[in-house]
Amino acid sequence: MSKTEEITAFIEALDVPWQVEISNQLRSLVHGVIPDVQERLQYKKPHFLKNGKYAAVISPSKKAVSFTIFNTASLDLPAELFEGPEERKTIKIQEKDTPDYSQLTKYLEQASKEL
């Protein structure tokens, strides 16, 4: 599914340039991993769904961009990077961070495979 104007506008409206860049990278990552992903703005955040089930969420805040991956109970994610209950894990990316997008891609591939 294609990218929606609603999510594009949300990301472009972020006040901080590095958050726009990170959010766009994460969005592209999700679309690359899940070709038929549906995206929608829900709870004032971009949500990404596969087969009607949550796959990922991008959540910008004052000091970070959080990226939540759903369906993670069977994954072995590094505790120093991810937090949250076993069914969904969140990584908080701050301005100084350099996210490992290839590793995030692998995690999302594994998590969304069963959705």
Side-chain angles (χ1 to χ4, degrees), residues 35-114:
D36 55 346
V37 70
Q38 294 177 302
E39 59 177 32
R40 67 177 177 217
L41 197 61
Q42 187 175 357
Y43 309 113
K44 300 181 182 176
K45 301 174 204 157
H47 284 66
F48 302 89
L49 296 91
K50 178 181 176 185
N51 299 323
K53 297 179 182 176
Y54 291 114
V57 177
I58 298 171
S59 181
S61 63
K62 286 185 179 183
K63 295 185 178 185
V65 175
S66 295
F67 183 60
T68 301
I69 301 173
F70 289 81
N71 198 39
T72 55
S74 64
L75 301 185
D76 186 22
L77 300 175
E80 66 274 9
L81 294 178
F82 289 88
E83 57 187 43
E86 75 173 24
E87 71 275 2
R88 67 179 180 276
K89 294 292 184 183
T90 300
I91 183 171
K92 291 184 180 175
I93 303 166
Q94 298 180 341
E95 184 174 10
K96 63 180 174 26
D97 296 339
T98 305
D100 185 343
Y101 291 109
S102 64
Q103 194 62 53
L104 288 175
T105 297
K106 290 176 188 171
Y107 294 145
L108 185 61
E109 282 173 344
Q110 291 171 352
S112 65
K113 187 170 37 178
E114 312 255 335

